[in-house]
Amino acid sequence: MSGIKFNRIALIGIGLIGSSLARIIREKDLAGHISIATRSKKTLYKARELVLGDSYTIDSAEAVKDADLVIISVPVGASGIVARNIANSLKFGAIVTDVGSAKASVISQMQPELPDHVHFIPGHPIAGTEFSGPCAGFAELFSNRWCILTPIPGTNEEALEKLNAFWVACGSKTDWMDPVHHDLILAMVSHLPHIIAYSIIGTANNLEKAIHAEVIAYSASGFRDFTRLSSSDPAMWRDICLHNRDAILEVLGRFSEDLALLQRAIRCEDSDALFELFTYTRAIRQDVIEEEKKKNRPSCGNK
Ligand code: NAP
């Protein structure tokens, strides 16, 4: 028993994240009623078939009526439109949050749309997979993963504690961060690796047909790992790139410089430089594993 329970939780967006939330909310009895809204009838029917909630609609304004917690789980580029659609139907004192992978943009899109009588607290569960849609979700998704809340100045303490308790009840470890800082950290640990994966697979695809076929046929673990990342949802990753543009360009710039140095070391047959770098990076991997063991910290998920 977590002790936290909302009368009514509205889930706007019922893909991987929304449906995982629906499942854990049900499992942990965190809501008296779960209302679900999504954009398409097809996804809505699927959510109903999976019995993810108690009521279903394609009208997000309808879904949020009387909800004391509203969780928006749509691609970050759609956050502003969703906020505009629900604004006039939100209950006084409701907590409105989101799960988007880029925070500064979500805040600038949503905050101007939402009424003063609700508590808007942006969030980001760092948990995911390369799959999407309501069938892809599972109740354990958030277990032992970080959920980062990025409260805006003046956030109501009680509402923040309540949302924090909700994520803890979902199995997450929580942390609070400045939104811009969040975006830079995520650009490094998640967005850059995905962009590199998209780029590598793109390079392989552009090879002449015969070579391309062999790359696929003989793909070893390194290439296969990249294909997993590069199979993530295109709409979601398009939006992450567009809405965390500055931080992504910053880390991409640093990455390009370091890649050029590595390229030079290979061309110049600088074996010391290569050995030094590969020894150093191996030690970082060890540090990450040791840190997790020592502090029993959750390992970071996908996004
Ligand atoms: P998903 O499985 O693709 O589901 C997306 C949901 O948003 C669906 O209900 C979809 O509705 C709806 N939607 C899509 N485009 C929309 C639009 N333009 N307007 C309104 N609704 C729209 O996505 P997800 O993986 O759950 O990701 C949702 C959010 O979580 C994103 O902001 C992402 O950055 C964040 N996130 C994702 C992960 C991850 O690993 N996937 C991890 C952490 C955070 P229909 O299907 O009805 O069209």
Side-chain angles (χ1 to χ4, degrees):
M1 263 302 271
S2 63
I4 178 97
K5 185 162 180 173
F6 292 87
N7 287 329
R8 191 179 177 108
I9 296 181
L11 299 174
I12 312 299
I14 196 74
L16 171 71
I17 302 295
S19 73
S20 295
L21 281 167
R23 288 170 169 101
I24 190 72
I25 290 166
R26 181 77 85 208
E27 190 180 297
K28 300 279 181 180
D29 192 27
L30 303 177
H33 183 104
I34 304 171
S35 61
I36 289 174
T38 188
R39 184 180 54 166
S40 70
K41 283 191 174 156
K42 190 174 166 227
T43 302
L44 196 72
Y45 290 151
K46 188 44 84 178
R48 196 195 304 253
E49 199 180 299
L50 293 166
V51 201
L52 292 175
D54 301 298
S55 58
Y56 306 85
T57 174
I58 50 166
D59 180 357
S60 50
E62 178 64 32
V64 303
K65 274 184 196 155
D66 290 329
D68 33 18
L69 175 62
V70 176
I71 309 178
I72 296 166
S73 310
V74 301
V76 286
S79 318
I81 295 161
V82 169
R84 192 176 314 150
N85 289 344
I86 63 173
N88 291 332
S89 308
L90 290 165
K91 182 179 162 179
F92 190 94
I95 296 173
V96 179
T97 188
D98 78 303
V99 298
S101 308
K103 300 307 339 150
S105 166
V106 164
I107 292 170
S108 65
Q109 290 178 66
M110 289 184 65
Q111 200 178 7
E113 304 290 349
L114 295 172
D116 292 340
H117 66 72
V118 302
H119 306 296
F120 171 45
I121 309 172
H124 177 206
I126 307 182
T129 71
E130 65 276 30
F131 303 111
S132 45
C135 296
F138 52 101
E140 302 74 26
L141 180 65
F142 310 107
S143 177
N144 208 28
R145 302 287 191 188
W146 287 109
C147 178
I148 299 177
L149 301 179
T150 61
I152 46 193
T155 297
N156 177 285
E157 286 289 328
E158 200 184 326
L160 186 55
E161 288 298 343
K162 231 172 155 181
L163 185 61
N164 196 67
F166 168 79
W167 279 109
V168 170
C170 289
S172 297
K173 281 209 169 187
T174 56
D175 203 354
W176 302 354
M177 245 183 224
D178 168 75
V180 174
H181 186 66
H182 163 280
D183 289 355
L184 184 63
I185 299 294
L186 266 292
M188 186 64 236
V189 300
S190 166
H191 306 168
L192 181 66
H194 276 82
I195 288 166
I196 293 170
Y198 281 116
S199 172
I200 286 179
I201 305 307
T203 304
N205 191 47
N206 291 339
L207 293 171
E208 305 90 87
K209 243 186 179 165
I211 301 179
H212 173 75
E214 281 182 302
V215 166
I216 301 298
Y218 299 119
S219 67
S221 60
F223 188 79
R224 285 176 64 86
D225 286 351
F226 280 118
T227 58
R228 186 184 67 75
L229 288 185
S230 71
S231 67
S232 301
D233 185 62
M236 178 178 135
W237 280 96
R238 174 204 59 203
D239 279 13
I240 289 173
C241 288
L242 297 178
H243 290 270
N244 196 21
R245 185 170 157 265
D246 292 349
I248 288 174
L249 288 177
E250 167 67 24
V251 294
L252 258 180
R254 289 175 186 229
F255 171 75
S256 305
E257 284 173 23
D258 291 339
L259 187 62
L261 287 177
L262 181 55
Q263 191 176 355
R264 185 186 156 85
I266 296 171
R267 184 166 45 78
C268 299
E269 298 179 13
D270 186 344
S271 69
D272 287 349
L274 293 172
F275 192 79
E276 199 181 314
L277 175 68
F278 300 157
T279 306
Y280 173 67
T281 53
R282 189 183 218 184
I284 290 185
R285 163 84 182 154
Q286 212 47 46
D287 284 352
V288 169
I289 292 168
E290 287 305 317
E291 184 74 3
E292 275 171 15
K293 273 196 216 151
K294 212 167 46 193
K295 295 186 179 164
N296 190 23
R297 289 174 103 174
S299 56
C300 282
N302 213 16
K303 281 106 202 164

